[in-house]
Amino acid sequence: MLIYSDPAEDGYTKGKIFPDGPWGPESHIQRGAITYDYIVPGDPTTPGWASVPGAQRIAPEEARSLPKIPALPLSWRDAKPLLENMNGPEATAGLAGCFAHPVSIHPAR
């Protein structure tokens, strides 16, 4: 899964970008987490104790909060060439975001 901020929603296509305005540049990356902290906070392989060098760890298959889908937060600038080179059905205008042309999308597998 690619996670990026589409300029059509919060980026440079709306107006002046930071620091001269409130909108994000094409290179900004959303900061946050894609973990399941509501299940078990912190490192999924050290539930309930500190994840430090030498810490006891559980097997990944036992970790209740370990994400099952690989995800990469990246900037719009870096997501654009990846999306442009995907094969698959074309995205509808509502899903294509600020692309001047439709992009290929893949349904979740």
Side-chain angles (χ1 to χ4, degrees):
M1 174 179 0
L2 302 178
I3 303 169
Y4 63 92
S5 293
D6 190 323
E9 295 177 357
D10 74 348
Y12 62 90
T13 61
K14 294 256 188 191
K16 289 185 178 184
I17 63 170
F18 179 84
D20 299 320
W23 303 107
E26 65 180 5
S27 62
H28 87 282
I29 299 172
Q30 287 189 31
R31 300 196 186 272
I34 54 170
T35 59
Y36 300 109
D37 280 347
Y38 61 91
I39 298 173
V40 177
D43 182 338
T45 63
T46 57
W49 60 91
S51 179
V52 296
Q56 178 184 353
R57 297 182 186 278
I58 62 172
E61 53 274 2
E62 295 175 34
R64 293 180 43 220
S65 62
L66 189 67
K68 306 289 188 245
I69 300 172
L72 176 68
L74 70 169
S75 70
W76 162 250
R77 180 182 60 202
D78 295 328
K80 186 176 181 204
L82 297 173
L83 295 170
E84 288 175 332
N85 287 290
M86 291 176 71
N87 295 321
E90 288 186 347
T92 63
L95 293 177
C98 80
F99 273 99
H101 56 83
V103 296
S104 294
I105 60 171
H106 286 282
R109 296 176 190 201

